[in-house]
Every structure is written in structure tokens, then in C-alpha cells.
Amino acid sequence: MRRMLAVFAIALLLFGCTQTPKIPNIPNLSNLSGNISLPGTGDLQMDNNTGTGGTGGSTGGSTGGTGGTGGTGGSAGGTQYAHYDLSLTDVSINTTTPTVSYHVTLSVKVSYAGLTKPAKYKVSYYDNGELVDSKIVQSPKAEETVSFYWLLLSDGTHSLTARVDSLDEPNPEDGPAANNAMEKAYDILPIGIFSGDSGTQIEYDTYHAQQFLVPNKIGIGTVYVYLQASSQPSDVQVALELRRDSLDKPGALMKTNWIPATGLWAGSPQWVAVSYGTNGVFLEPGKYWLVTYLGSPLTGPEWVSSTSGAYAGKSARLDKNVGSGTVWQEDAGDFVFKVSTIPQ
């Protein structure tokens, strides 16, 4: 009897060890949406734009995950654009001293983000509301820099606007239009040199001259010289001439204007202007000169100059009491002047 009970107990033990454990039903997560919480795994968020959610991040998924490793989140951290969003990220020029009549390089940075790639787009720029130039970019990268040559035809403040427009008709941009344009203001300098540290007396029998350079055709409205009087000048007229260049010396006369010296105050230097009106004189590319002298042998002001030779143009003087009185000699330094397209 005891043997039979022992055999029965062993059989019962073996039967219990060979049973397959019952597996609980786990829902199919791929058919669910919304927020799902699983014990011990943190919060897992899912939406239509995500790849894999964050392993420990409570904001994984479309925002890219800030708490853990985060989800892949699409091309722009879970962008909502089914196609793409074009945007301008920067507009800049290659100089800190843009000057009238010169070219500068204008650089426009364009980027896109989205689930597809634009086939092509157009980048344009406008100067004070007027279209200047456009370029088409084919098969663009995620970020492109489009460069233009901007010819500065007038000094003063310029409102420059760059914009990008999609040309991909089968696959148009579906991002916001607000970031497709960018506006910047640039102050364009007149031609000239704007400060000095010494002065040269303007005289009756000596002509002083400053050369200036015009790279591209412009219409000028005003010329300026920087004059200083240590005491009240005599009642004398100061001649201001505009001349052409002749082998790096003042040549043929273009304009002569007279400035009453009594209008100057004694003390600090001041700009004295001669206005030619709107586009009063058109200058072709080349070299030109401003020349000063007194109309009578009285005491006149000084023309302020820089002894550093900061300007690329030359300076010159002509002494009527030396030789034939027609020989220009190169002078040292540069006289302070401005040549502007804006009429006074």
C-alpha cells in the first residue's frame, strides 16, 4: 500500500511540471493611437509623424524627446508639413562699409524642412521695393547660399528684401509664407574720406585738389568739402571745381561753384556743400578731381586733410608762382570730401 501511494505522488509531481504556462493577452500597439502608459517604461507618446518613441522621455515622439533618447520625429522634430517649408535664415553683404558706385556680394541663405524635397525654387532680391535680380536653384540641398552682385547706385539708406518662392508645381510648399522673405536696411556711404587730423590753408595763388574714383556710372547730386576756420574768414569767395582726370592730375573743367567764406563759423570743422540737383552730373567710370582756391588774395579757411593717406585717390597742388604756373605736383595726405548722389 505504501508503494502505491509513493508512485502516485511522483506521477502527480511530474504532471504539474510539464504544463505550459498561460500567456496573458497583450494588445496590438500598432493599431492604437493616443497616449499609452506601460508599467516601468515611462510615458510613450505616439502620433502619425513619429518613428520610435523615447525610451525614458515623457515628451518623446513629435518633439524629438527631451527626457530620454527621444523619437526620430521626422525631418524637423515631427514637422507638420506633408511637403516642405522653405525659409530664409540669413541675408548679408561682404563689407561693413558699402559705398556708392561699388559692387558688393549679397548672400541669401535658404533652407527647407519637411517630409519631401523641393525640386526647385527661385530666390529674388529687391532694392527699395524694385526687383533687381532672381536666380533659380535646381535640386537644392537642405541649406543653400545664393549669391548676387549688388551694384550700389545711390548712397543713403536702402531697404533690401530677399525672398524665396517654390517652383515645384507637383509638390508645392505647404509651410507658412511668413518666413519666405527677409528685409534688412543698409546705409550706403557716399564716395569720400570723412575725417582728418590737419588742415591746409586755401589760398589765392595755390590750387589744392583731391582725386576720387568712380567704379560704375552714377549721377551725382552734391559734393562736399570739410572746411575749418580758426578765426572768422574774410569776405572772400572759395572756388570749388569738379574736373576730369588727366594722367593722375586735374584736367578739363566740368563745374565751378563759389562758396562765400563768411558763411563759415570759427572753430570746429564743418561740411560745406555744393548741390548739382537730382542727377545733376553723370559720371562715367574713371577718376575725377575736386579743386579749391580763393577768388581774391584774402584770408580763407583751411581744407581739412588726413596725413595718413587713407583714400585710394591722390591729392595734388598747383602753385601759380612756380615755373609757368601750370604744373600740378602730387601732394601728401588726402583732403576730406564727399561725393553724393543725393541733391542738397
Side-chain angles (χ1 to χ4, degrees), residues 24-288:
N25 293 325
I26 298 177
N28 185 355
L29 299 183
S30 63
N31 296 326
L32 300 178
S33 61
N35 296 330
I36 301 173
S37 296
L38 296 180
T41 61
D43 296 332
L44 173 65
Q45 293 185 358
M46 302 182 67
D47 58 34
N48 294 331
N49 296 322
T50 64
T52 304
T55 60
S58 61
T59 57
S62 64
T63 60
T66 58
T69 58
T72 58
S75 62
T79 176
Q80 70 270 34
Y81 312 119
H83 293 166
Y84 53 86
D85 173 40
L86 290 171
S87 63
L88 297 187
T89 58
D90 190 36
V91 175
S92 61
I93 58 176
N94 65 332
T95 178
T96 57
T97 55
T99 303
V100 65
S101 186
Y102 286 80
H103 278 99
V104 300
T105 300
L106 170 68
S107 298
V108 181
K109 287 187 178 181
V110 185
S111 64
Y112 72 86
L115 301 179
T116 61
K117 176 181 179 180
K120 60 180 177 178
Y121 54 69
K122 179 175 68 175
V123 180
S124 309
Y125 81 96
Y126 300 76
D127 184 358
N128 289 336
E130 297 291 329
L131 176 64
V132 180
D133 198 6
S134 298
K135 288 185 178 181
I136 295 176
V137 179
Q138 303 276 0
S139 301
K141 301 188 289 291
E143 184 175 82
E144 294 277 0
T145 298
V146 183
S147 296
F148 299 93
Y149 287 113
W150 179 23
L151 175 57
L152 309 178
L153 294 177
S154 62
D155 49 301
T157 301
H158 285 244
S159 177
L160 199 69
T161 302
R163 65 169 296 113
V164 59
D165 295 288
S166 173
L167 299 179
D168 191 357
E169 294 181 3
N171 188 31
E173 179 188 13
D174 57 351
N179 58 4
N180 284 31
M182 182 177 290
E183 183 176 345
K184 284 194 174 182
Y186 292 99
D187 290 325
I188 309 305
L189 299 175
I191 295 171
I193 179 171
F194 310 113
S195 63
D197 48 28
S198 62
T200 299
Q201 192 78 38
I202 299 176
E203 300 169 304
Y204 172 69
D205 53 4
T206 303
Y207 289 30
H208 298 283
Q210 175 63 47
Q211 184 187 62
F212 65 93
L213 313 179
V214 178
N216 294 279
K217 182 178 180 178
I218 55 172
I220 64 173
T222 309
V223 294
Y224 299 81
V225 287
Y226 203 43
L227 304 184
Q228 181 175 15
S230 56
S231 59
Q232 183 62 45
S234 303
D235 187 7
V236 64
Q237 298 287 314
V238 178
L240 178 59
E241 295 182 344
L242 175 65
R243 295 195 181 202
R244 299 189 186 279
D245 182 81
S246 176
L247 301 176
D248 272 341
K249 298 291 191 297
L253 179 66
M254 299 176 66
K255 287 275 189 180
T256 302
N257 294 85
W258 293 93
I259 303 165
T262 52
L264 300 173
W265 63 76
S268 60
Q270 57 206 279
W271 288 106
V272 177
V274 169
S275 182
Y276 298 149
T278 303
N279 293 327
V281 179
F282 281 96
L283 300 182
E284 298 290 338
K287 300 175 181 178
Y288 298 87

